[in-house]
Amino acid sequence: NAGVTQTPKFQVLKTGQSMTLQCAQDMNHNSMYWYRQDPGMGLRLIYYSASEGTTDKGEVPNGYNVSRLNKREFSLRLESAAPSQTSVYFCASSVAGQGANEQFFGPGTRLTVL
Amino acid sequence: AQSVTQLDSQVPVFEEAPVELRCNYSSSVSVYLFWYVQYPNQGLQLLLKYLSGSTLVKGINGFEAEFNKSQTSFHLRKPSVHISDTAEYFCAVSSLSGNQFYFGTGTSLTVIP
C-alpha cells in the first residue's frame, strides 16, 4: 500500500502560469481533501470531495479548481498562479466524510510562484 | 462554525522532561477532536482522537490528551519526551458530520538533548 501519493513534490511557476497537482490513494477511501499549509496559519481546507462525483468548497477555495476523476484520484488546478499561492499543498483521504474518521495525508507538494 | 486555538507556537523542552501542548476550541455544537503530528518534510499523521466516552485519550508514542468540556480544551501531554518527538503538532476539530474540519496553527516542539 502506497497510501496517499502526490505529484510533483516540488514546483516553481511564474505568475500567470497554470498547473495541476495530482493526488491518488489506494486505500479505497470515499473522501478526499486538499489543504494548503502556510507558516503561522496551520492547514486550511481548499476543497474536499465527500464521495466520487461530488466536490465542495472549503475555507480558501478562491483561485483553485478541483476534479474528482474517479474514486482514487483528486486533482487540484491553479488556472493562473499568483505569488499568494506559494505554499505547501497536502492531499488527504478518509474512509468517509464523517467527522470521526482519521485523515491520511500525502507527503505534500512545495509550490513556489515567482 | 468551529475554531481551534493553539496557545504556544514554539515549545522547547529538555529530553526526558514532561510536556504539555495546549489546545482550546470554540463550538456551539458537539465536535470531534484530534491531535496530528508532522515530522520534518512529511505529511501529517494521527496521534489520537476524542470522539466520546472517557475524557482521557491515549495515543501513539506515549502521548495522551484530556478533553475538558467546561474549559473547551484538549491539551496534549507526554510524561517524558525523546529527541524523536521533535516535530510540529496540530490540534484539529471536526463537526460530527465531517463537513467542517479546522486545524490549529500548530505548535513546534523542540526536544533539547
Side-chain angles (χ1 to χ4, degrees):
Chain A
N1 267 359
V4 180
T5 56
Q6 294 183 235
T7 55
K9 292 187 177 180
F10 301 93
Q11 183 71 49
V12 179
L13 294 177
K14 295 180 179 178
T15 297
Q17 287 185 317
S18 63
M19 79 161 296
T20 299
L21 308 184
Q22 306 287 354
C23 173
Q25 53 89 10
D26 62 1
M27 296 174 282
N28 201 35
H29 286 172
N30 291 306
S31 301
M32 298 185 74
Y33 312 81
W34 275 106
Y35 293 91
R36 59 176 290 173
Q37 183 179 26
D38 302 292
M41 302 192 74
L43 278 79
R44 291 179 292 169
L45 184 63
I46 305 171
Y47 271 93
Y48 69 98
S49 171
S51 61
E52 186 178 356
T54 68
T55 60
D56 286 286
K57 295 178 180 179
E59 187 182 353
V60 289
N62 291 344
Y64 305 95
N65 286 300
V66 291
S67 296
R68 184 74 183 266
L69 305 170
N70 48 55
K71 191 171 185 178
R72 291 186 63 248
E73 298 172 289
F74 188 39
S75 63
L76 178 73
R77 183 161 178 83
L78 287 70
E79 290 291 351
S80 179
S84 61
Q85 294 178 305
T86 293
S87 187
V88 181
Y89 291 85
F90 288 98
C91 178
S93 70
S94 66
V95 171
Q98 286 82 8
N101 293 309
E102 172 185 359
Q103 294 186 25
F104 292 81
F105 286 80
T109 294
R110 294 182 179 275
L111 175 66
T112 301
V113 183
L114 302 175
Chain B
Q2 297 88 36
S3 68
V4 180
T5 302
Q6 291 184 244
L7 299 167
D8 306 299
S9 59
Q10 296 185 351
V11 173
V13 61
F14 285 104
E15 192 174 14
E16 297 184 3
V19 69
E20 178 180 82
L21 306 183
R22 296 181 293 170
C23 172
N24 286 87
Y25 70 94
S26 65
S27 176
S28 58
V29 298
S30 295
V31 295
Y32 298 129
L33 295 160
F34 303 78
W35 275 99
Y36 282 81
V37 60
Q38 183 181 31
Y39 298 105
N41 299 313
Q42 295 185 25
L44 282 69
Q45 61 187 82
L46 183 69
L47 268 180
L48 49 79
K49 63 182 178 182
Y50 173 78
L51 305 182
S52 64
S54 173
T55 57
L56 185 63
V57 180
K58 294 189 182 297
I60 62 172
N61 300 340
F63 283 93
E64 63 182 31
E66 186 159 17
F67 170 62
N68 187 319
K69 187 174 183 179
S70 62
Q71 297 189 7
T72 60
S73 68
F74 190 53
H75 300 333
L76 181 70
R77 302 185 183 102
K78 186 170 182 178
S80 176
V81 295
H82 302 289
I83 296 291
S84 59
D85 292 324
T86 293
E88 189 90 14
Y89 292 80
F90 292 93
C91 183
V93 61
S94 172
S95 61
L96 300 190
S97 65
N99 63 350
Q100 295 183 45
F101 199 94
Y102 297 96
F103 283 88
T105 52
T107 296
S108 178
L109 173 65
T110 301
V111 180
I112 304 164

